[in-house]
Amino acid sequence: WLSGVVFLLGSASLLWSTRVLRQRALVYVGLAQLVAGVLDLTWWVTEASHYDIRLGWISLIAALLGLAIWTAATLTRRLGLSVFYTRPFLDVAFLLTIAAGIGAVDARYLGREAFRLGVAAFATNALVSVLLLWTWRSAELAYAAVFHLVAATYLILFSTGNNDPAMAYVLGLTAVVEAL
């Protein structure tokens, strides 16, 4: 867990140094160290014998971290503190939705018990995508939000019940209902 603490301390020092040395690259590196530190601490907090649950928790924490970083960017902009940090924060929040989605699918692939964490990660990703849509005013992010909701739905469908080929119509019916 010491490496996670080192990442967090490095993140704090890099982000603090941007008050003097105004370079966006330092903001991105500071945020990358923040994410690495939080995810590393999440790695050590979870039980080592269940890789699927561990990866599910990491995915959920990444999605929640994306939400927290979006909130920080929005508060910074609304309070008029500095727009220097806004764009890097929003970019990292978007990248965290991608990483959390990949991790959630991979966690479910490793074990069926991780699907609840993956669904929570996808639901949080959908919320972050809608919030980014509202912030950036980019219609393409609506597709990302819909994708996250559909992925959460199918993660539930593929993880619950028993695999009965006679029930395969449920997948198509779900697709029709979601399309409507």
Side-chain angles (χ1 to χ4, degrees), residues 8 11 52 55 75-77 88 102 120 125 130 137 165 167 170 179:
L8 291 177
S11 170
D52 54 343
L55 187 56
L75 286 176
T76 301
R77 189 180 63 188
I102 292 170
N125 281 347
V130 168
R137 309 270 188 232
M167 300 297 289
V170 173

Side-chain angles (χ1 to χ4, degrees), residues 8 16 23 30 39 46-47 55 57-58 70 80 84 92 103 113 119 123 129 137 142 169 174:
L8 291 177
W16 186 261
Q23 292 187 5
L39 295 182
T46 55
E47 189 175 334
L55 187 56
W57 272 111
I58 289 173
W70 177 88
F84 174 72
V92 169
E113 283 72 33
V119 168
S129 296
R137 309 270 188 232
Y169 71 92
T174 302

Side-chain angles (χ1 to χ4, degrees), residues 47-103:
E47 189 175 334
S49 63
H50 299 287
Y51 291 115
D52 54 343
I53 301 297
R54 178 180 268 182
L55 187 56
W57 272 111
I58 289 173
S59 301
L60 179 57
I61 295 300
L64 290 171
L65 192 58
L67 181 62
I69 289 174
W70 177 88
T71 304
T74 303
L75 286 176
T76 301
R77 189 180 63 188
R78 288 213 176 158
L79 295 175
L81 296 176
S82 176
V83 295
F84 174 72
Y85 299 100
T86 305
R87 183 63 187 203
F89 275 51
L90 294 175
D91 288 342
V92 169
F94 178 71
L95 290 174
L96 281 170
T97 62
I98 295 170
I102 292 170

Side-chain angles (χ1 to χ4, degrees), residues 161-177:
N162 50 2
N163 297 330
D164 185 8
M167 300 297 289
Y169 71 92
V170 173
L171 299 174
L173 181 63
T174 302
V176 168
V177 169

